[in-house]
């Protein structure tokens, strides 16, 4: 099967590497330097993702595409996949709701699985399994972070993914479920300290629940993103001064991007918790940088596991949220097994709680 990967950044490169032994992999990007880095294990295509007709024309030569571009291109890639008749796995973290395209995808007999990366993605798959295993889930929490092992001042963060998408985490209202209702909160208005895996982090509510706001109906459901202490207060000041506004963010990144670009191994932490009366289930992982950054590993290898399911026609036509793959025991176990084979182990825990 011919597979097209859109985007040759850290995540796209990891996906291409992981799929290259099984599929004829082609990677498309505008950056010649990035394409050169993947040429060892994939064919390359110069492609401007903003040119819709050109993207459609390119997709028509492939049975499956994987979108590893920044979120601003996400919905465009979904539309291109439907028009070209190409199945799509998406990790772009697009701001729009791709579920609105589900009927069009069904008519075109196309499968689109969106948010198929780390968080959203693996976090949804794990929450979907918890939702299925608990009898009457009341609340759920996701704690997730991708962090440098050796954080440097003044921002105590290292870039391992799209810098614009990082900034959007701090500016996009975070949707959560509280008292059974969907609410939007300012992501930097509720900074708290949390202890996970023996580490002390700052945490803020982030807009990663997305499709689960409708598919997992509980009294309380929240995602909290983790940072080293000190980072969030600095980003909060930048936001309050207006430096994270769309018209200024380009200039802001010119200044702060070099402060978050340095050599330090990264690691990822994820803990997904679900509770019902008297019972708690959780899944967790702690991954270290190896052949790729840890963020590229957990995002890219989750996406490639989902891509294999789509390639085998294991999913129906339409636009499918990732938690559905967790609710199905066969697809859940397949994804967890493939991650374990790549050194990413998911640990499960069940405990009793006070009623």
């Amino acid at each position: 099967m011919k597979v097209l990967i859109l985007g040759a950044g850290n995540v796209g490169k990891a996906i291409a590497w992981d799929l290259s032994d099984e599929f004829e992999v082609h990677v498309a990007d505008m950056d010649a330097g990035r394409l050169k880095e993947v040429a060892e294990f994939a064919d390359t295509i110069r492609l401007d993702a903003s040119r819709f007709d050109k993207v459609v024309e390119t997709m028509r030569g492939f049975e499956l595409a994987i979108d590893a571009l920044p979120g601003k291109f996400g919905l465009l890639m979904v539309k291109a996949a439907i028009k070209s008749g190409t199945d799509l796995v998406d990790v772009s973290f697009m701001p729009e709701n791709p579920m609105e395209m589900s009927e069009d995808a069904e008519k075109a007999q196309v499968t689109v699985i969106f948010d198929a990366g780390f968080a959203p993605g693996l976090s949804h798959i794990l929450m979907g399994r918890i939702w299925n295993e608990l009898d009457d889930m009341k609340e759920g929490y996701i704690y997730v972070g991708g962090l440098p092992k050796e954080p440097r001042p003044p921002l105590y963060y290292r870039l391992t993914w799209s810098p614009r998408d990082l900034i959007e985490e701090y500016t996009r209202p975070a949707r959560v479920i509280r008292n059974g209702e969907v609410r939007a909160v300012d992501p930097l208005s509720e900074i708290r300290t949390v202890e996970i895996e023996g580490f002390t982090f700052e945490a803020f509510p982030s807009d990663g629940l997305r499709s689960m706001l409708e598919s997992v109906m509980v009294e309380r459901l929240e995602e909290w993103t983790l940072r080293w202490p000190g980072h969030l207060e600095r980003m909060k000041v930048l936001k309050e001064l207006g430096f994270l506004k769309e018209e200024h963010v380009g200039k802001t990144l010119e200044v702060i991007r070099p402060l978050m670009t340095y050599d330090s191994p990264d690691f990822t932490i994820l803990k997904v918790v679900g509770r019902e009366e008297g019972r708690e289930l959780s899944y967790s992982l702690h991954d270290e940088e190896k052949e790729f950054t840890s963020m590229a590993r957990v995002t890219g290898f989750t996406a490639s596991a989902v891509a294999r399911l789509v390639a085998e026609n294991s999913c129906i036509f339409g636009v499918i949220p990732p938690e559905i793959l967790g609710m199905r025991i066969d697809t859940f176990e397949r994804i967890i097994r493939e991650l374990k084979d790549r050194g990413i182990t998911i640990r499960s825990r069940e405990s009793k709680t006070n009623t």
Side-chain angles (χ1 to χ4, degrees), residues 99 102 111-115 315-322 324-325:
M99 291 296 295
S102 190
T111 298
V112 175
I113 300 183
F114 65 98
D115 287 350
C315 303
I316 62 174
F317 298 133
V319 178
I320 303 170
I324 299 300
L325 302 178

Side-chain angles (χ1 to χ4, degrees), residues 69-90:
L69 294 165
K72 67 179 182 179
F73 294 108
L75 190 62
L76 196 69
M77 297 305 105
V78 174
K79 292 179 178 179
I82 292 171
K83 187 170 183 179
S84 65
T86 306
D87 292 334
L88 179 72
V89 173
D90 173 86

Side-chain angles (χ1 to χ4, degrees), residues 23-35:
F23 302 95
E24 181 183 333
V25 177
H26 298 248
V27 180
D29 202 297
M30 271 295 290
D31 190 316
R34 287 182 173 180
L35 290 175

Side-chain angles (χ1 to χ4, degrees), residues 16 20 36 50 87 91 163 173 201 206 284 298 300 326 332-333 335:
S20 60
K36 187 176 180 179
S50 66
D87 292 334
V91 298
F201 299 110
S206 45
S284 61
V298 295
F332 173 79
E333 290 182 344
I335 292 167

Side-chain angles (χ1 to χ4, degrees), residues 243-282:
F243 289 112
L244 302 189
K245 291 182 178 179
E246 180 60 33
E247 61 267 31
H248 301 309
V249 72
K251 289 292 185 181
T252 300
L253 283 173
E254 289 181 14
V255 176
I256 69 173
R257 184 171 184 169
L259 301 175
M260 297 187 289
T261 304
Y262 53 87
D263 290 331
S264 171
D266 78 317
F267 69 102
T268 50
I269 279 186
L270 175 65
K271 185 173 183 179
V272 181
V273 181
R275 298 187 183 113
E276 64 183 5
E277 187 173 354
R279 185 183 179 201
E280 175 181 295
L281 293 179
S282 68

Side-chain angles (χ1 to χ4, degrees), residues 113-167:
I113 300 183
F114 65 98
D115 287 350
F118 179 45
L122 182 57
S123 57
H124 285 55
I125 293 167
L126 297 176
M127 188 64 82
R129 179 90 309 254
I130 292 172
W131 165 257
N132 192 277
E133 291 182 0
L134 290 177
D135 297 322
D136 186 21
M137 181 169 151
K138 299 295 186 183
E139 55 187 48
Y141 302 91
I142 296 168
Y143 301 95
V144 59
L147 300 156
K149 292 186 71 174
E150 302 164 359
R152 296 183 185 176
L155 295 179
Y156 305 100
Y157 188 76
R158 176 196 165 198
L159 282 172
T160 56
W161 59 309
S162 167
R164 280 190 172 269
D165 286 350
L166 169 70
I167 296 301

